[in-house]
Amino acid sequence: MPEIKPFKAIRPTPDKAAFVASRSYEEYSKKELEAKLSYNPFSFLHIINPGFKYDKKVSGNERFRLVRNRYMEFLEDEVFMKDPEPSFYIYRVEKNAYRCTGFFCATSIADYENGIIKKHEATIARREKLFADYLEIVRFEAEPVLMAYKDNASISAILESTTRHTPAYEFTTPDRIKHSLWVISDRKVLQTIQQEFSGMDSLYIADGHHRSASSCLLGKTLKDKNPEHSGKEAYNYFMSYLIPESDIRIFEFNRMVKDLNGLSKKEFLVRLDESFRIKRYGNELYKPGKKHHFSMYLDGEFYSLYLRKRAYNFTDSLSRLDTQILYKTILEPVLGIQDLRNDKRIQYGYGKHNVLKMKDAIDRGDFEVGFGLLPVNIDEIKAIADEGLVMPPKSTYIEPKLRSGLTVYDLSDTLS
């Protein structure tokens, strides 16, 4: 029974929304970031990169305090406004044939702790603590956690009805993505949506595992520091963007390895033959067409690798996951890669044309071998989460990727 709540968002004034919204900080190149900061005074990037104002690199608590200052300046200069009524915020992204419609709301850290909000990735304690410290000082959240829920006809009808009206925001960004946002503040509609979610079993985190874990850590910290804690404080919740499972897009990460762990090409292929049926395709590009089949690019040629089921035991949902199969049959025992997150010998790539990028990188000599696989699907993610298991790193690249700054969640607020 997930608990979701409307909140009073801090958001851009309508005339500035297109200028405020930004991609994740890490997605910008150095030149791109400098151009945005130099020529767009309204970009949310000014808040999260506050040292630009003084041409100074800042870090740690000094940076956190300056982030808070830039945020308050956006409020004082009326770049941001605060909504008077608690609301849900329907947000739609559209590009080419893809359209995703969901809504921003507040989700419960109690649900996260109790396993009603389910995760499929491991988090790093150091990163959790760092972001929790950041949130405690800045006192706002600007990047929601992306969660999926089972498609629901009643919720879909409300979203569809609302989106027939003129949105509060509508703009297209240079990457040709159209962004639209509607505000729902009608109490009866809010209650109907909440009731529908209270009848569900779970929500599934698709993207934002560290953000949700840090919010949970922060909630515990602020609760302990507050002698008048009531449970209605905003820090008991965190901002999420909820979308139906059918709107999730999942892409694969290919794996590229710098060497064959001391093996010759022939020795390497013989080792693989223990677990796979191997077929050589030469220079004909090959991509896997079904689960437990993999592509490999080695020494200028493509190969297909079909898992020999007699050589591998399926014991749970994790063992059936292609990224885990690749790890347990090749990466760990043959190539000697133990730590998929930190080993410098392995790198990952995603994207529509990544097979060709992988081929080019290997042909240049940057890597020795590359592997391609099919994307994980939402049912696999849910099965992993339901069993309390954790996927290998870089198992999924999930869309939509959300803009920062369209709705900001005030951690100093109180929720009704």
Side-chain angles (χ1 to χ4, degrees), residues 36-60:
K36 288 282 187 183
L37 291 168
S38 297
Y39 299 110
N40 180 3
F42 304 123
S43 173
F44 191 79
L45 293 169
H46 283 283
I47 293 178
I48 56 179
N49 191 18
F52 181 82
K53 182 175 182 178
Y54 305 110
D55 192 25
K56 178 188 176 185
K57 289 186 178 180
V58 291
S59 60

Side-chain angles (χ1 to χ4, degrees), residues 107 112 117-124 127-128 131 135 141 143-148 204-216 238-241 248 396-402:
T107 48
Y112 179 86
I117 292 175
K118 297 191 175 184
K119 55 188 177 181
H120 64 266
E121 288 185 6
T123 53
I124 301 169
R127 288 183 61 190
E128 288 180 29
F131 193 58
L135 291 176
E141 295 175 354
E143 294 187 3
V145 175
L146 176 64
M147 295 194 206
Y204 293 86
I205 298 174
D207 195 13
H209 285 79
H210 277 94
R211 291 193 293 277
S212 51
S214 298
S215 295
C216 183
F238 55 94
M239 183 170 64
S240 295
Y241 177 64
I248 286 276
T396 59
Y397 180 85
I398 293 179
E399 290 185 349
K401 295 297 182 188
L402 304 175

